PDB file of all heavy atoms in Angstrom:
ATOM      1  N   TRP K 186     114.412 118.844 106.596  1.00 86.00           N
ATOM      2  CA  TRP K 186     115.460 118.469 107.387  1.00 86.00           C
ATOM      3  C   TRP K 186     115.620 119.364 108.668  1.00 86.00           C
ATOM      4  O   TRP K 186     115.908 118.843 109.697  1.00 86.00           O
ATOM      5  CB  TRP K 186     116.754 118.377 106.651  1.00 86.00           C
ATOM      6  CG  TRP K 186     117.920 117.847 107.357  1.00 86.00           C
ATOM      7  CD1 TRP K 186     118.951 118.494 107.836  1.00 86.00           C
ATOM      8  CD2 TRP K 186     118.087 116.389 107.636  1.00 86.00           C
ATOM      9  NE1 TRP K 186     119.902 117.637 108.489  1.00 86.00           N
ATOM     10  CE2 TRP K 186     119.309 116.335 108.374  1.00 86.00           C
ATOM     11  CE3 TRP K 186     117.401 115.348 107.400  1.00 86.00           C
ATOM     12  CZ2 TRP K 186     119.789 115.152 108.773  1.00 86.00           C
ATOM     13  CZ3 TRP K 186     117.879 114.101 107.866  1.00 86.00           C
ATOM     14  CH2 TRP K 186     119.097 113.981 108.540  1.00 86.00           C
ATOM     15  N   ARG K 187     115.415 120.664 108.473  1.00 85.00           N
ATOM     16  CA  ARG K 187     115.709 121.607 109.570  1.00 85.00           C
ATOM     17  C   ARG K 187     114.432 122.095 110.314  1.00 85.00           C
ATOM     18  O   ARG K 187     114.592 122.629 111.343  1.00 85.00           O
ATOM     19  CB  ARG K 187     116.467 122.869 108.944  1.00 85.00           C
ATOM     20  CG  ARG K 187     117.833 122.391 108.367  1.00 85.00           C
ATOM     21  CD  ARG K 187     118.638 123.628 108.035  1.00 85.00           C
ATOM     22  NE  ARG K 187     120.005 123.164 107.533  1.00 85.00           N
ATOM     23  CZ  ARG K 187     120.943 124.043 107.270  1.00 85.00           C
ATOM     24  NH1 ARG K 187     120.730 125.374 107.478  1.00 85.00           N
ATOM     25  NH2 ARG K 187     122.037 123.577 106.769  1.00 85.00           N
ATOM     26  N   ILE K 188     113.272 121.842 109.770  1.00 85.00           N
ATOM     27  CA  ILE K 188     112.046 122.331 110.414  1.00 85.00           C
ATOM     28  C   ILE K 188     111.135 121.247 110.801  1.00 85.00           C
ATOM     29  O   ILE K 188     110.835 121.035 111.885  1.00 85.00           O
ATOM     30  CB  ILE K 188     111.344 123.421 109.613  1.00 85.00           C
ATOM     31  CG1 ILE K 188     112.195 124.707 109.468  1.00 85.00           C
ATOM     32  CG2 ILE K 188     109.986 123.768 110.205  1.00 85.00           C
ATOM     33  CD1 ILE K 188     111.525 125.807 108.622  1.00 85.00           C
ATOM     34  N   THR K 189     110.756 120.433 109.823  1.00 85.00           N
ATOM     35  CA  THR K 189     109.771 119.385 110.001  1.00 85.00           C
ATOM     36  C   THR K 189     110.306 118.296 110.870  1.00 85.00           C
ATOM     37  O   THR K 189     109.700 117.834 111.810  1.00 85.00           O
ATOM     38  CB  THR K 189     109.269 118.877 108.665  1.00 85.00           C
ATOM     39  OG1 THR K 189     108.813 119.902 107.822  1.00 85.00           O
ATOM     40  CG2 THR K 189     108.128 117.888 108.862  1.00 85.00           C
ATOM     41  N   LEU K 190     111.504 117.780 110.429  1.00 85.00           N
ATOM     42  CA  LEU K 190     112.038 116.596 111.171  1.00 85.00           C
ATOM     43  C   LEU K 190     112.346 116.868 112.633  1.00 85.00           C
ATOM     44  O   LEU K 190     111.922 116.087 113.467  1.00 85.00           O
ATOM     45  CB  LEU K 190     113.349 116.115 110.464  1.00 85.00           C
ATOM     46  CG  LEU K 190     113.967 114.818 111.015  1.00 85.00           C
ATOM     47  CD1 LEU K 190     112.928 113.606 110.929  1.00 85.00           C
ATOM     48  CD2 LEU K 190     115.186 114.463 110.249  1.00 85.00           C
ATOM     49  N   PRO K 191     112.964 117.951 112.962  1.00 84.00           N
ATOM     50  CA  PRO K 191     113.116 118.276 114.436  1.00 84.00           C
ATOM     51  C   PRO K 191     111.803 118.375 115.192  1.00 84.00           C
ATOM     52  O   PRO K 191     111.701 117.982 116.435  1.00 84.00           O
ATOM     53  CB  PRO K 191     113.786 119.595 114.455  1.00 84.00           C
ATOM     54  CG  PRO K 191     114.637 119.725 113.173  1.00 84.00           C
ATOM     55  CD  PRO K 191     113.602 118.984 112.137  1.00 84.00           C
ATOM     56  N   ALA K 192     110.788 118.802 114.512  1.00 86.00           N
ATOM     57  CA  ALA K 192     109.440 118.928 115.200  1.00 86.00           C
ATOM     58  C   ALA K 192     108.746 117.571 115.458  1.00 86.00           C
ATOM     59  O   ALA K 192     107.984 117.346 116.369  1.00 86.00           O
ATOM     60  CB  ALA K 192     108.547 119.871 114.402  1.00 86.00           C
ATOM     61  N   ILE K 193     109.002 116.612 114.518  1.00 87.00           N
ATOM     62  CA  ILE K 193     108.326 115.324 114.732  1.00 87.00           C
ATOM     63  C   ILE K 193     109.249 114.237 115.269  1.00 87.00           C
ATOM     64  O   ILE K 193     108.942 113.055 115.292  1.00 87.00           O
ATOM     65  CB  ILE K 193     107.818 114.848 113.218  1.00 87.00           C
ATOM     66  CG1 ILE K 193     109.055 114.560 112.390  1.00 87.00           C
ATOM     67  CG2 ILE K 193     106.883 115.797 112.679  1.00 87.00           C
ATOM     68  CD1 ILE K 193     108.665 113.871 111.051  1.00 87.00           C
ATOM     69  N   ARG K 194     110.435 114.674 115.781  1.00 84.00           N
ATOM     70  CA  ARG K 194     111.406 113.567 116.127  1.00 84.00           C
ATOM     71  C   ARG K 194     110.919 112.759 117.216  1.00 84.00           C
ATOM     72  O   ARG K 194     111.338 111.585 117.277  1.00 84.00           O
ATOM     73  CB  ARG K 194     112.820 114.271 116.416  1.00 84.00           C
ATOM     74  CG  ARG K 194     112.825 115.202 117.662  1.00 84.00           C
ATOM     75  CD  ARG K 194     114.166 115.850 117.732  1.00 84.00           C
ATOM     76  NE  ARG K 194     114.182 116.716 118.988  1.00 84.00           N
ATOM     77  CZ  ARG K 194     113.792 117.890 118.992  1.00 84.00           C
ATOM     78  NH1 ARG K 194     113.200 118.508 117.919  1.00 84.00           N
ATOM     79  NH2 ARG K 194     113.985 118.680 120.111  1.00 84.00           N
ATOM     80  N   TRP K 195     110.188 113.409 118.267  1.00 82.00           N
ATOM     81  CA  TRP K 195     109.875 112.569 119.363  1.00 82.00           C
ATOM     82  C   TRP K 195     108.667 111.540 118.997  1.00 82.00           C
ATOM     83  O   TRP K 195     108.729 110.451 119.422  1.00 82.00           O
ATOM     84  CB  TRP K 195     109.276 113.480 120.490  1.00 82.00           C
ATOM     85  CG  TRP K 195     110.443 114.385 121.018  1.00 82.00           C
ATOM     86  CD1 TRP K 195     110.484 115.765 120.762  1.00 82.00           C
ATOM     87  CD2 TRP K 195     111.657 114.063 121.634  1.00 82.00           C
ATOM     88  NE1 TRP K 195     111.639 116.209 121.361  1.00 82.00           N
ATOM     89  CE2 TRP K 195     112.327 115.180 121.880  1.00 82.00           C
ATOM     90  CE3 TRP K 195     112.220 112.766 122.028  1.00 82.00           C
ATOM     91  CZ2 TRP K 195     113.533 115.184 122.536  1.00 82.00           C
ATOM     92  CZ3 TRP K 195     113.357 112.789 122.672  1.00 82.00           C
ATOM     93  CH2 TRP K 195     114.108 113.989 122.913  1.00 82.00           C
ATOM     94  N   GLY K 196     107.759 111.984 118.208  1.00 86.00           N
ATOM     95  CA  GLY K 196     106.779 111.086 117.639  1.00 86.00           C
ATOM     96  C   GLY K 196     107.383 109.912 116.798  1.00 86.00           C
ATOM     97  O   GLY K 196     106.927 108.798 116.951  1.00 86.00           O
ATOM     98  N   LEU K 197     108.293 110.347 115.947  1.00 88.00           N
ATOM     99  CA  LEU K 197     108.956 109.349 115.151  1.00 88.00           C
ATOM    100  C   LEU K 197     109.765 108.339 115.906  1.00 88.00           C
ATOM    101  O   LEU K 197     109.675 107.123 115.736  1.00 88.00           O
ATOM    102  CB  LEU K 197     109.876 110.079 114.184  1.00 88.00           C
ATOM    103  CG  LEU K 197     110.771 109.244 113.222  1.00 88.00           C
ATOM    104  CD1 LEU K 197     109.795 108.277 112.333  1.00 88.00           C
ATOM    105  CD2 LEU K 197     111.651 110.040 112.352  1.00 88.00           C
ATOM    106  N   THR K 198     110.462 108.765 116.922  1.00 85.00           N
ATOM    107  CA  THR K 198     111.194 107.905 117.862  1.00 85.00           C
ATOM    108  C   THR K 198     110.265 106.993 118.546  1.00 85.00           C
ATOM    109  O   THR K 198     110.563 105.785 118.699  1.00 85.00           O
ATOM    110  CB  THR K 198     112.064 108.731 118.898  1.00 85.00           C
ATOM    111  OG1 THR K 198     112.874 109.592 118.075  1.00 85.00           O
ATOM    112  CG2 THR K 198     112.887 107.716 119.651  1.00 85.00           C
ATOM    113  N   TYR K 199     109.149 107.448 119.069  1.00 85.00           N
ATOM    114  CA  TYR K 199     108.210 106.586 119.687  1.00 85.00           C
ATOM    115  C   TYR K 199     107.605 105.477 118.853  1.00 85.00           C
ATOM    116  O   TYR K 199     107.441 104.443 119.149  1.00 85.00           O
ATOM    117  CB  TYR K 199     107.132 107.540 120.228  1.00 85.00           C
ATOM    118  CG  TYR K 199     106.112 106.844 121.232  1.00 85.00           C
ATOM    119  CD1 TYR K 199     106.667 106.629 122.560  1.00 85.00           C
ATOM    120  CD2 TYR K 199     104.891 106.497 121.001  1.00 85.00           C
ATOM    121  CE1 TYR K 199     105.880 106.090 123.551  1.00 85.00           C
ATOM    122  CE2 TYR K 199     104.075 105.992 121.949  1.00 85.00           C
ATOM    123  CZ  TYR K 199     104.574 105.715 123.237  1.00 85.00           C
ATOM    124  OH  TYR K 199     103.859 105.097 124.157  1.00 85.00           O
TER     125      TYR K 199
END
Side-chain angles (χ1 to χ4, degrees):
W186 188 254
R187 298 191 179 185
I188 295 179
T189 308
L190 185 59
I193 67 172
R194 64 185 183 277
W195 299 113
L197 178 59
T198 306
Y199 196 71

